[in-house]
Each structure stands twice: as structure tokens, then as C-alpha cells.
Amino acid sequence: MSVRTAHALPEAAWFKSSYSTGGGGECVEIAAAPETVLVRDSKRTTGPVLMVGVDAWSAFIRQAGRG
């Protein structure tokens, strides 16, 4: 897992979590990139981007779905 500040993906590649609220609360956006999933704060779109491997992301989603 790593963090970077610049990315080359178009804005259209990003989408908000279905659990994000419309009231400006904690919102997470993700985008798929080759071999990684990118995660960022929707309120800081030019801020850091978390890069997660596809296998790690899949494990996270499976675990989150159990809760």
C-alpha cells in the first residue's frame, strides 16, 4: 500500500462510495487503475491518493461485507 499526491486518471474515473452521505460528511471516492485501486477523500481531490493492490482491496471488501 502506498500514498501518492498526483495521479493521471480523469475525474470521470472516480466514483463515490455508496455509503457516502450527501450532506458533506465523510466521503470516499475510488477509481480502478491497472493492478491497483485508488482511494481519496472526495473533499480533497487534489490531496493524497491511497494506492491499494487489487488482492488487498478484494480482501478488504469481503471483510467489510461481513460487518
Side-chain angles (χ1 to χ4, degrees):
M1 195 171 1
S2 63
V3 176
R4 65 184 192 162
T5 56
H7 50 84
L9 290 176
E11 283 301 308
W14 293 92
F15 63 94
K16 257 185 206 175
S17 164
S18 61
Y19 288 96
S20 293
T21 64
E26 291 90 22
C27 297
V28 173
E29 293 179 329
I30 64 170
E35 301 181 29
T36 61
V37 175
L38 307 175
V39 183
R40 72 180 182 184
D41 182 340
S42 64
K43 295 177 295 305
R44 296 185 60 209
T45 59
T46 60
V49 174
L50 182 65
M51 297 171 55
V52 181
V54 173
D55 291 339
W57 183 257
S58 295
F60 168 73
I61 295 300
R62 278 193 306 275
Q63 185 64 31
R66 293 180 185 155

